[in-house]
Amino acid sequence: QITLTESGPTLVKPTQTLTLTCTFSGFSHSTAGVAVGWIRQPPEKALEWLAHIYWNDAKFYSTSLKSRLAITKDSSKNQVVLTMTNVDPVDTGTYYCAHLHTSNYHSYDFWGQGTLVTVSS
Amino acid sequence: DIQMTQSPSSLSASVGDRVTITCRASQNINTYLSWYQQKPGKAPKLLIYGASTLHSGVPSRFSGSGSGTDFTLTISSLQPEDFATYYCQQSQSSIMYTFGQGTKLEIK
């Protein structure tokens, strides 16, 4: 079955760069139609889509955060990495990675459990 | 960017009630609309994709409808485990996805 697990620091200082890793199993990121995305959720707030990367290495980013985000994949390691530069306390929240397939109208059908990131000095 | 607006923001209902949540897109998204359920401290779960297709394992009391800009999620007979927050999400624009602000469904 498909599983995804997020990992990274729990505490980051303002202005630093945040690096999160999504390690997955049960699918290949080389399969046509597959993408892995990142979504975050500030405490007690709504979900916010950040970015995703397709099997063919096509990458898409949130318009408002595009200048600060970078997403890469390593299909041999079954990992997707998201980096966010110049973090601020407003970036505090739970970060999820999720699997997407274009055959399901690009919906996120499997999610990781999330990792809580706090930005504070 | 496509904006997604859900209504209501919160809703109180009783077990057995029929409940409808609405999601409106700022432009035509055809049927590229998904619904998710999220319980406190848990990751969201996909309920419906393509506006009306039930994801595997989702109970049949959940249904979705709509196309273009107006969509609904209906729960035909609320069960205790359905009290949660529900989000819609558009994926028409593969350049940028968008979630609605969420609808919190609470027990009356």
Side-chain angles (χ1 to χ4, degrees):
Chain A
Q1 78 281 18
I2 291 176
T3 64
L4 304 100
T5 304
E6 306 88 350
S7 60
T10 57
L11 180 63
V12 186
K13 292 182 177 357
T15 76
Q16 289 185 336
T17 295
L18 170 65
T19 299
L20 296 170
T21 300
C22 176
T23 304
F24 56 83
S25 63
F27 67 95
S28 171
H29 207 173
S30 300
T31 301
V34 170
V36 173
W38 286 92
I39 301 99
R40 72 177 180 181
Q41 186 171 38
E44 305 302 318
K45 292 191 177 180
L47 301 168
E48 179 184 17
W49 178 76
L50 298 177
H52 58 226
I53 183 166
Y54 285 91
W55 81 97
N56 58 4
D57 211 38
K59 304 169 186 178
F60 298 96
Y61 298 98
S62 164
T63 304
S64 61
L65 294 168
K66 186 172 185 176
S67 63
R68 300 173 51 212
L69 295 176
I71 190 169
T72 59
K73 68 181 180 70
D74 186 335
S75 298
S76 65
K77 293 183 178 179
N78 284 352
Q79 290 183 331
V80 169
V81 175
L82 180 76
T83 59
M84 177 182 290
T85 60
N86 193 26
V87 298
D88 180 90
V90 299
D91 296 313
T92 293
T94 299
Y95 286 72
Y96 298 99
C97 65
H99 168 275
L100 169 156
H101 200 287
T102 54
S103 64
N104 294 339
Y105 283 78
H106 299 238
S107 61
Y108 289 108
D109 52 2
F110 295 93
W111 294 63
Q113 80 282 2
T115 186
L116 177 61
V117 178
T118 301
V119 180
S120 174
S121 55
Chain B
D1 295 350
I2 300 174
Q3 306 303 317
M4 306 300 293
T5 303
Q6 287 182 235
S7 61
S9 296
S10 63
L11 175 61
S12 295
S14 302
V15 173
D17 284 354
R18 180 183 179 89
V19 166
T20 297
I21 298 169
T22 298
C23 182
R24 175 165 288 178
S26 61
Q27 62 190 74
N28 183 8
I29 59 170
N30 296 297
T31 55
Y32 281 82
L33 190 284
S34 304
W35 290 98
Y36 299 85
Q37 176 194 69
Q38 187 181 32
K39 295 183 179 179
K42 300 294 185 181
K45 291 184 177 180
L46 177 65
L47 296 175
I48 288 170
Y49 63 89
S52 61
T53 302
L54 220 57
H55 182 52
S56 176
V58 175
S60 58
R61 63 181 179 273
F62 291 92
S63 64
S65 66
S67 66
T69 61
D70 294 313
F71 302 87
T72 60
L73 171 70
T74 299
I75 309 172
S76 60
S77 178
L78 272 175
Q79 298 301 301
E81 61 268 29
D82 300 336
F83 292 96
T85 301
Y86 293 86
Y87 293 93
C88 62
Q89 180 223 340
Q90 70 83 16
S91 52
Q92 161 71 13
S93 168
S94 60
I95 297 174
M96 169 133 182
Y97 289 6
T98 325
F99 288 91
Q101 81 279 16
T103 296
K104 188 173 184 179
L105 179 53
E106 298 175 305
I107 301 174
K108 184 182 289 184

